[in-house]
Amino acid sequence: MTLTEPDLAATSPARTDWGHLWPHFTRLSSPRVPVITRGEGAYLWDDRGRRVLDGLSGLFVVQAGHGRRELAQVMAEQASQLAYFPVWGYGTRPALELADRLAAAAPGDLDRVFFTTGGGEAIESAWKVAKQYFKLMGKPLKHKVISRAVAYHGTPQGALAITGLPAMKQQFEPLTPGGFRVPNTNFYRATEHADDLEAFGRWAADRIEEAILFEGADTVAAVVLEPVQNSGGCFTPPPGYFARVREICDKHDVLLVSDEVICAFGRHGTTFACEKFGYQPDIITCAKGMSSGYAPIGAMITTNRVVEPFLHGRTTFPHGYTFGGHPVAAAVSLANLDLFDAEGLNQRVLANEQAFGDTLRKLLDLPIVGDVRGDGYFWAVELVKDKATRHTLDADERERLIRGYLPEALFDNGLYCRPDDRGDPVVQVAPPLISGQAEFDEIERILRHTLTEAAELL
Ligand code: PLP
């Protein structure tokens, strides 16, 4: 069929409400949402002049808050001096300094920093380095990765194979082979040891050993876990969980990767969250809050043990990214970390986390709120149909609330945060680390009002 000009215009993909933009993880058929034009501190403004509280730090990113002129200034200066040079065979001052800074902040001998431009690339890098490490160590069969159900670790095809969300993967199968899943630490919906958190944690950790044995320890390279799992809604580690995981990894010579893409840089009140939760990983992956979002940057940080076989002769890690360790991104990350020190952002989170949790837990008097859980400035409010039975929302109700009513109503009521149902339906809140009780109260007030109205739609 030959299309006429008007037909072509009518079928042009540009004719959605999004113009030519292809938004991420968003239905192109959805109506266009507000255009964000400005940020200042913990607040955002849209193109209609509306002001909303940024209850998600953009996407768990803007730790130091929006509109920090001192960070913009550092970026301008670095761009004037040296806007770009790769870290392929050369160093740049910002990349060298930032690597030193991260190595000094990371616990134990996590001393070697490989820069990326984001979290998915950091995960990808961790898997590749784990595979090559074991080849260099004479254990070439070790290549598989174990991760947890419902966990999100990024969209590159390797990272996606580590991700525990079947719906996010099925369109892209076959993915990189070698990803295997174990249960997460969702205690609210525990089917084993539901009355004993510590026993539940031991049970969940032991599933990792079981998976290693099922697959054959000689074939498993790494276990990839977030300190607090985001997807599914802030599953915190039960007491003893990570100690047991560390023991299992040591026993079977498997590398423990702490995916701190969300949890690092103060989200839990420490530079790296493994420190807060008391375990020593072999690799940390991080991104998001490193620069507070002023420029894209991520990293994989390895221990001396992992880097050791790469230190000799002609051995290299044949892997890299054009923009990994970008000078402007590295310079602004250093300035961001200076700001963490000058303003005591980690200490602020530690001092306020209890109050933040207490404020959000007030929502538990609403019939639609089944659970409130989290740590630091990283919380989830789980929505239920029936509080007594913990019965969750069905597919239609999720469609109406999670994708339909809530995002717009929350924004209209003055709060940007994230209704999410990759696992059971939750509202995720993670404000900038400069927030305090006034912002916690505002979040609680808007959630209370909006969730009360949402419950009437069930
Ligand atoms: N890992 C975790 C735990 C994440 O939350 C994310 C993104 O949200 C990623 C990896 C992927 O990071 P990016 O989107 O920067 O590729």
Side-chain angles (χ1 to χ4, degrees):
M1 183 176 95
T2 315
L3 293 176
T4 62
E5 282 261 320
D7 286 339
L8 274 172
T11 56
S12 162
R15 283 184 58 83
T16 70
D17 281 352
W18 291 94
H20 290 270
L21 177 67
W22 197 331
H24 297 201
F25 285 110
T26 306
R27 293 174 187 172
L28 270 171
S29 61
S30 68
R32 186 149 88 179
V33 291
V35 177
I36 308 301
T37 53
R38 188 164 79 81
E40 194 73 45
Y43 288 87
L44 300 162
W45 281 259
D46 75 1
D47 57 347
R48 290 159 56 190
R50 289 185 299 175
R51 173 184 181 264
V52 296
L53 176 56
D54 182 357
L56 202 69
S57 307
L59 200 52
F60 312 99
V61 167
V62 190
Q63 319 296 67
H66 298 277
R68 307 288 310 233
R69 304 256 175 320
E70 61 271 61
L71 297 184
Q73 184 67 32
V74 166
M75 295 171 73
E77 280 162 18
Q78 182 58 48
S80 314
Q81 171 126 4
L82 178 70
Y84 176 72
F85 207 76
V87 290
W88 302 41
Y90 292 83
T92 65
R93 286 217 179 286
L96 286 161
E97 263 180 54
L98 182 60
D100 283 354
R101 186 86 170 255
L102 295 176
D109 70 337
L110 282 154
D111 282 348
R112 187 67 60 159
V113 180
F114 186 97
F115 285 116
T116 65
T117 67
E121 287 176 359
I123 287 286
E124 209 63 25
S125 305
W127 193 356
K128 287 178 77 173
V129 89
K131 283 178 166 178
Q132 191 176 350
Y133 166 78
F134 281 116
K135 286 184 175 53
L136 293 170
M137 297 302 288
K139 297 184 175 181
L141 296 180
K142 275 185 168 290
H143 69 284
K144 295 174 187 168
V145 175
I146 290 164
S147 57
R148 295 185 291 197
V150 195
Y152 178 79
H153 294 286
T155 50
Q157 299 205 38
L160 201 51
I162 297 176
T163 288
L165 292 156
M168 212 167 266
K169 306 199 276 190
Q170 56 193 206
Q171 302 304 317
F172 313 109
E173 300 280 3
L175 297 167
T176 310
F180 296 86
R181 238 62 56 207
V182 292
N184 56 45
T185 59
N186 182 357
F187 189 57
Y188 180 65
R189 297 200 175 276
T191 51
E192 306 280 334
H193 307 289
D195 54 353
D196 182 341
L197 181 60
E198 209 160 332
F200 170 71
R202 171 83 188 199
W203 170 84
D206 283 347
R207 302 286 67 72
I208 293 174
E209 179 163 46
E210 185 177 69
I212 291 172
L213 295 173
F214 280 173
E215 286 308 311
D218 286 351
T219 69
V220 180
V223 171
V224 176
L225 308 172
E226 289 167 88
V228 174
Q229 181 174 321
N230 173 47
S231 186
C234 283
F235 301 142
T236 51
Y241 177 79
F242 273 113
R244 177 71 187 129
V245 172
R246 182 69 264 180
E247 203 174 86
I248 292 166
C249 288
D250 288 343
K251 181 170 161 195
H252 298 290
D253 196 13
V254 168
L255 300 178
L256 174 55
V257 179
S258 189
D259 181 1
E260 307 208 4
V261 169
I262 289 179
C263 294
F265 305 110
R267 191 50 58 199
H268 297 279
T270 47
T271 303
F272 294 105
C274 54
E275 203 183 318
K276 171 103 174 260
F277 297 104
Y279 63 97
Q280 178 67 42
D282 302 295
I283 297 177
I284 288 177
T285 52
C286 55
K288 295 190 186 273
M290 193 188 303
S291 70
S292 279
Y294 283 76
I297 189 162
M300 166 189 74
I301 309 174
T302 72
T303 55
N304 291 335
R305 169 197 164 193
V306 172
V307 86
E308 206 286 329
F310 293 88
L311 295 176
H312 310 285
R314 296 183 178 181
T315 307
T316 55
F317 180 36
H319 180 64
Y321 301 99
T322 298
F323 291 131
H326 190 286
V328 176
V332 75
S333 297
L334 283 163
N336 180 49
L337 295 176
D338 286 344
L339 214 145
F340 262 72
D341 291 343
E343 299 184 2
L345 290 183
N346 283 329
Q347 294 81 341
R348 183 182 179 81
V349 171
L350 294 176
N352 285 343
E353 62 179 342
Q354 179 72 34
F356 190 19
D358 289 346
T359 306
L360 290 174
R361 272 188 288 268
K362 290 185 193 166
L363 295 166
L364 282 166
D365 65 357
L366 298 179
I368 193 175
V369 173
D371 195 25
V372 173
R373 52 183 181 256
D375 183 271
Y377 274 27
F378 185 36
W379 289 80
V381 176
E382 180 162 340
L383 308 182
V384 288
K385 181 85 180 281
D386 183 324
K387 205 175 176 115
T389 61
R390 302 189 179 184
H391 195 71
T392 191
L393 277 55
D394 67 26
D396 279 351
E397 289 161 344
R398 288 169 184 224
E399 181 65 25
R400 260 184 288 139
L401 254 59
I402 300 295
R403 274 165 289 280
Y405 180 74
L406 279 175
E408 207 175 321
L410 285 165
F411 196 92
D412 286 347
N413 292 333
L415 177 64
Y416 162 73
C417 61
R418 188 193 205 189
D420 179 50
D421 68 343
R422 287 175 295 179
D424 292 303
V426 291
V427 178
Q428 299 170 326
V429 278
L433 311 186
I434 51 164
S435 310
Q437 191 59 48
E439 287 77 23
F440 306 157
D441 287 338
E442 194 173 343
I443 291 171
E444 194 273 340
R445 182 176 55 72
I446 298 173
L447 282 176
R448 173 173 296 280
H449 171 70
T450 314
L451 293 176
T452 302
E453 289 192 337
E456 285 165 24
L457 300 177
L458 289 178

